[in-house]
Amino acid sequence: LTIAALVEATKQPQLLKPITNCLKHMAVASQLLDDVQDWQVDLEDRHRTYFLSCLAPPGDGTQPVWPSIDDLQACIDETWLDTDHLRRAIQHLDQAILDLREIYAPTWSDHTQPKRRKAEHNFSVALARHMASKLRQSMSETAGAARQRPSPTPRRPTQRKTPGRLADHPLGRAMQAALEFLLAAQRPDGSWVDFELPNIGSSDAWVTAHVGYRLAGLPPAWKTTPVDEALHRAKAFMVTKWRHGWGYSDLAPVDADSTAHGILFFNAVSEAYPGSTLEALLAFQQPDGGFSTYIPWRGEPVPDSWYMSHLDVTPVVLCALAPLWRKGSLEDVFESALPRMEADRLADGSLPAFWWDLQWYTASAWAHLYRVLESAAPPIILAHRAQEQQGEDLSCLDAALRLEFSRLTENNEVARRMAEHLLQAQLGEGNWPIRPVMRFPREGIERPWEVGDAGELYADVRGVYSTATILSGLARWGFVPGFERAEGLGESVA
């Protein structure tokens, strides 16, 4: 009734249905969670709940039947009914979040996420308990039994299959190995996980969006069924993690960079993202035209410098918004944001990064933006290209970004050198060596590239983030003589 009165008073009757549906799913989820957690108390109080009724249906109605706690616990151990109810609760919470996908209500979305995390935690605990019990039972049944094991038949080495004639070229073999590494790294829930930060752990949503976007942009020759299936799983995972945008993980607030990567991924797989995501992303634009990573009212407080516009976030956000700009929308947003490239340039012409100890991240992002906008690269980009003549010792991730920048600015000699370097540096599993390059700027640090100890640096410890970036860079360049375009390795992908 209160909500109905509010939407009527604000003359927004269209909000009543989605809000009502959201609250209904929240109520069901809350009741399911409560019933599973407190079933013993409910049994002792003779309070019959849905969960208890599923465990032990009431009798014929003439006389209540109340089994013992031990009997019901045995039933739970046998049927795993608690995990079934917890899974239903998670599904209702997911639907409650999605019910608001076209309504910009980020604080309500942020309110529901902790409930979902708690439900997911309880589900994991219950599932682990059941699996441990089954394992103990199995070990007990087989203890002391002598078993003769036949000598294993030697396995034949797996033959990697690369598209077309690329199997005979180092680039094709390197790309196939990297692709297999990434497909193997995807988790059953569809996510890719990497990095490890204090207090918030590994990233799932942001890394999944980045890897998915990179894989979705591979040339057609590499769009195999396993890749399509991996992207489909990743898309489903991103839907479950949406909360009017995306964040580094469930333990971090929604941020502009993760949300922009999510939009880029959904655009790349030709899938519509929730409409209110756009409004959420635009809220990160600052008065100077640039985009900040965080805004004060989305989650826990962070250092003030994280609320400023960031030179390595702005071009990524604009890339995500570019399809709307090409359709004639968001002119004011782009008009105020595009000058940030000139404003953020250093005296030597370079474009530093706030979050990365990388020389080429920001320049590559801006160069890619102008390719997406189908506009000529401005003189500042070409001026930055002079930096390419330097012989700095780059990490493999930075070399891939330098490769991308060189390709986009048509410096083919540097691009060739970077590609050859990456091919030589690839590891046996298909990934590449990693370095700590993601910066965690401390409080009060606004220009970390000018400070020797601006904050801790972290590596993508699983090599997933860098491998996806390097694979994408090699695939979009493709220097195989004579049949690049025939095999889909040319410049057909922006």
Side-chain angles (χ1 to χ4, degrees), residues 241-261:
K241 294 299 177 180
W242 178 82
R243 38 186 166 135
H244 290 287
W246 290 275
Y248 173 90
S249 70
D250 285 346
L251 299 179
V254 169
D255 67 82
D257 188 66
S258 300
T259 300
H261 274 88

Side-chain angles (χ1 to χ4, degrees), residues 282-461:
L282 293 176
F284 290 87
Q285 190 169 29
Q286 300 302 305
D288 65 2
F291 284 81
S292 63
T293 307
Y294 295 98
I295 45 182
W297 49 274
R298 288 300 304 260
E300 298 296 325
V302 297
D304 288 344
S305 59
W306 296 12
Y307 297 137
M308 300 171 55
S309 65
H310 294 137
L311 27 70
D312 44 348
V313 173
T314 298
V316 177
V317 172
L318 295 180
C319 278
L321 299 176
L324 295 173
W325 178 84
R326 288 199 300 268
K327 294 179 180 178
S329 303
L330 306 180
E331 294 92 342
D332 293 343
V333 171
F334 276 76
E335 183 178 353
S336 60
L338 287 175
R340 291 310 312 169
M341 184 175 63
E342 176 66 37
D344 293 332
R345 182 170 68 102
L346 301 184
D348 63 0
S350 62
L351 290 162
F354 182 84
W355 293 105
W356 297 97
D357 186 24
L358 294 168
Q359 298 182 36
W360 296 96
Y361 184 95
T362 306
S364 177
W366 278 108
H368 181 64
L369 171 63
Y370 277 93
R371 175 62 63 89
V372 170
L373 297 180
E374 299 178 352
S375 301
I380 182 176
I381 287 289
L382 300 179
H384 189 75
R385 201 174 78 176
Q387 304 277 324
E388 294 179 324
Q389 306 308 319
Q390 302 175 9
E392 58 275 79
D393 177 28
L394 298 177
S395 67
C396 289
L397 178 56
D398 220 1
L401 296 169
R402 187 179 185 184
L403 166 62
E404 287 190 332
F405 178 82
S406 303
R407 174 182 67 86
L408 291 165
T409 56
E410 300 180 356
N411 195 335
N412 296 327
E413 174 57 27
V414 172
R416 181 188 62 80
R417 291 205 325 266
M418 292 299 102
E420 290 179 347
H421 166 68
L422 290 169
L423 291 178
Q424 293 172 4
Q426 190 176 29
L427 302 175
E429 295 298 317
N431 55 330
W432 275 268
I434 59 174
R435 287 188 196 175
V437 294
M438 188 173 76
R439 186 185 289 123
F440 209 59
R442 298 194 315 271
E443 179 72 57
I445 303 295
E446 297 182 1
R447 299 169 68 86
W449 54 89
E450 296 180 348
V451 181
D453 182 23
E456 292 292 331
L457 297 177
Y458 297 89
D460 53 328
V461 292

Side-chain angles (χ1 to χ4, degrees), residues 57-120:
D60 56 9
T62 59
Q63 183 158 353
V65 177
W66 296 101
S68 68
I69 288 180
D70 290 340
D71 289 341
L72 291 187
Q73 184 63 64
C75 182
I76 293 174
D77 294 340
E78 178 65 27
T79 63
W80 295 28
L81 194 64
D82 53 343
T83 61
D84 178 60
H85 279 61
L86 290 170
R87 186 183 294 110
R88 291 186 191 179
I90 293 172
Q91 292 171 347
H92 280 284
L93 288 170
D94 287 340
Q95 187 57 51
I97 294 172
L98 292 179
D99 282 335
L100 300 179
R101 56 187 175 270
E102 302 302 327
I103 301 175
Y104 185 50
T107 52
W108 179 251
S109 177
D110 293 341
H111 170 72
T112 60
Q113 280 295 331
K115 297 181 182 298
R116 190 192 185 283
R117 288 199 297 271
K118 183 178 180 180
E120 198 163 16

Side-chain angles (χ1 to χ4, degrees), residues 141-313:
E141 292 173 351
T142 58
R147 294 186 298 176
Q148 299 269 338
R149 295 183 182 273
S151 300
T153 302
R155 295 180 61 184
R156 299 179 62 183
T158 301
Q159 298 293 322
R160 288 194 172 109
K161 297 180 179 180
T162 54
R165 295 159 54 193
L166 294 179
D168 300 326
H169 196 281
L171 176 61
R173 294 193 295 270
M175 288 177 57
Q176 183 63 27
L179 190 57
E180 290 179 0
F181 173 84
L182 291 174
L183 294 179
Q186 189 178 34
R187 296 192 169 189
D189 63 1
S191 67
W192 280 282
V193 174
D194 216 334
F195 293 98
E196 192 71 33
L197 299 183
N199 300 322
I200 56 176
S202 300
S203 171
D204 50 12
W206 169 59
V207 170
T208 299
H210 174 80
V211 176
Y213 168 60
R214 292 288 185 169
L215 291 182
L218 291 176
W222 299 91
K223 293 293 186 62
T224 62
T225 298
V227 172
D228 289 340
E229 292 174 347
L231 293 175
H232 179 75
R233 291 191 296 271
K235 181 181 66 177
F237 173 81
M238 291 296 291
V239 169
T240 67
K241 294 299 177 180
W242 178 82
R243 38 186 166 135
H244 290 287
W246 290 275
Y248 173 90
S249 70
D250 285 346
L251 299 179
V254 169
D255 67 82
D257 188 66
S258 300
T259 300
H261 274 88
I263 291 177
L264 285 167
F265 170 51
F266 274 78
N267 285 340
V269 295
S270 301
E271 187 75 22
Y273 51 86
S276 60
T277 310
L278 175 62
E279 192 172 355
L281 184 57
L282 293 176
F284 290 87
Q285 190 169 29
Q286 300 302 305
D288 65 2
F291 284 81
S292 63
T293 307
Y294 295 98
I295 45 182
W297 49 274
R298 288 300 304 260
E300 298 296 325
V302 297
D304 288 344
S305 59
W306 296 12
Y307 297 137
M308 300 171 55
S309 65
H310 294 137
L311 27 70
D312 44 348
V313 173

